[in-house]
Amino acid sequence: MSELGETSGGTPLSRRTLLGAGASLGIGALLASCAEESNSEVRSLAPPIDARAARLPYRQDDPRWGSDLMWDRNLVLRAATELDGLPKADAAALIREYDDGNNISNEGCQLTCIAMVMRLFDPQANPAWTPATLNDAAHEGFEYTLSGLSLTTLYPDIAADMTEGHIQLLAKEEYPAAVKPWPLVTVSDSPLVRAYLSLSPRERSGVLVMLKTGTYDDTVASHYVLLDPDSRESASVADALILDPAMPLDAKGPWRLSDSAKLITGDPEIQNGWKQGHITPTQIGGAWAFARWDAKAGRPFAASFVQAWASELAR
């Protein structure tokens, strides 16, 4: 009989091999498309993306996945008190309590944004990347579990883990909101975001940018959205067009940072967090750029973006 973590032949198993880490979801189609690109001369532009054709934005409260649990609060509190020895009051502060649970509808804005990134960069995945499939894969791969257990690195890039590096975090900037001495930052102040918006939609097709709004603390009053990849507005805009997981399913017309702020601060606890931190409707706390990579060439489809970002940083 072999021991846990070893094959019958005695060869150690890696955690990723044992668990699969969810990478089988859609990876075949993505690898095939990347192989086709790699056989030709390396191009600076990735294939075009179309958020509307992909039926985005995904909404975190979509009935197809909104009730799927990300964490089970009772299990998290048990782990914190029984295993880590925290007092009950301290454990209770770790995770917000909702009447219907810590599900995608309540907690899944960042998950939903990353699912949109993966959907846009890997539209042929079967099954399609959605908040539900990404949440399931994250549980299976121990990115996070219902009890809060995580066996990933300290700063995991879940997109890279799920696609074996073919979609990954390229760059990030953080501006911790309401944390001294950090100044208030809007998209028109952010070098990374200004660089992205300065490009045409075709030039930015290899990069997608996720924004954080609200408080630096993620427990209650923070939120995540994607910059609209189809936007043709200038880099000087403060109230940017976005793809928002919190956008109502029946909402019409353009949706901006201020629309998102008005909606989510309808929650009294979120409103209180924003008020205490003096958070403004168009303020951002960070920007994360994800890129599609050409594995054979060993580089991302991001030349135009990186050049624009360098120019912004040099201003």
Side-chain angles (χ1 to χ4, degrees):
M1 176 179 285
S2 63
E3 296 181 1
L4 181 64
E6 293 187 354
T7 65
S8 58
T11 303
L13 285 175
S14 70
R15 179 182 66 86
R16 184 173 181 84
T17 301
L18 186 64
L19 300 173
S24 60
L25 284 173
I27 193 68
L30 182 56
L31 288 171
S33 63
C34 287
E36 293 172 2
E37 293 155 7
S38 298
N39 288 335
S40 62
E41 183 178 354
V42 175
R43 297 171 293 185
S44 61
L45 297 180
I49 56 177
D50 189 336
R52 275 66 194 174
R55 298 182 179 180
L56 300 183
Y58 283 143
R59 272 62 162 207
Q60 62 193 84
D61 64 353
D62 190 305
R64 291 175 291 176
W65 49 69
S67 62
D68 292 2
L69 285 180
M70 296 180 67
W71 298 278
D72 183 317
R73 189 170 188 271
N74 290 331
L75 293 179
V76 171
L77 298 190
R78 281 185 60 191
T81 55
E82 296 177 17
L83 301 179
D84 291 334
L86 283 184
K88 289 184 178 180
D90 291 350
L94 294 175
I95 185 167
R96 186 179 179 183
E97 184 174 9
Y98 293 93
D99 291 339
D100 56 345
N102 298 86
N103 54 33
I104 294 176
S105 179
N106 292 324
E107 301 270 29
C109 56
Q110 184 175 180
L111 177 83
T112 302
C113 285
I114 297 173
M116 286 194 279
V117 168
M118 297 172 75
R119 172 66 174 163
L120 285 167
F121 283 155
D122 188 12
Q124 304 304 317
N126 185 22
W129 286 113
T130 69
T133 55
L134 184 53
N135 186 52
D136 288 344
H139 284 164
E140 292 170 7
F142 279 76
E143 302 285 343
Y144 57 86
T145 66
L146 290 174
S147 68
L149 176 65
S150 174
L151 294 179
T152 62
T153 54
L154 289 175
Y155 187 82
D157 177 359
I158 191 171
D161 207 14
M162 295 296 110
T163 64
E164 296 184 340
H166 290 275
I167 299 170
Q168 59 180 275
L169 184 66
L170 174 69
K172 69 182 179 75
E173 294 179 353
E174 296 194 53
Y175 336 101
V179 177
K180 294 181 180 180
W182 289 92
L184 185 154
V185 174
T186 68
V187 296
S188 58
D189 303 314
S190 161
L192 189 151
V193 180
R194 286 183 59 86
Y196 180 80
L197 291 177
S198 71
L199 304 176
S200 69
R202 185 68 186 92
E203 288 177 312
R204 68 173 78 124
S205 60
V207 177
L208 291 162
V209 174
M210 179 176 73
L211 301 178
K212 180 177 181 177
T213 66
T215 60
Y216 181 54
D217 188 305
D218 280 336
T219 308
V220 175
S222 66
H223 187 53
Y224 292 85
V225 301
L226 285 188
L227 280 172
D228 189 336
D230 298 328
S231 172
R232 286 172 167 76
E233 295 184 316
S234 74
S236 63
V237 65
D239 196 7
L241 289 167
I242 57 173
L243 302 180
D244 185 2
M247 181 180 179
L249 284 167
D250 59 355
K252 305 294 183 183
W255 191 260
R256 298 181 180 274
L257 282 170
S258 60
D259 297 310
S260 180
K262 182 178 180 180
L263 179 72
I264 67 173
T265 54
D267 180 314
E269 291 192 54
I270 295 177
Q271 183 183 55
N272 185 56
W274 283 46
K275 185 177 181 179
Q276 288 185 350
H278 304 287
I279 308 296
T280 68
T282 59
Q283 183 175 353
I284 61 173
W288 287 257
F290 292 87
R292 183 174 178 178
W293 286 70
D294 183 332
K296 186 173 182 179
R299 65 189 70 182
F301 290 103
S304 297
F305 167 75
V306 172
Q307 290 168 359
W309 189 31
S311 295
E312 289 293 335
L313 291 172
R315 288 179 58 185

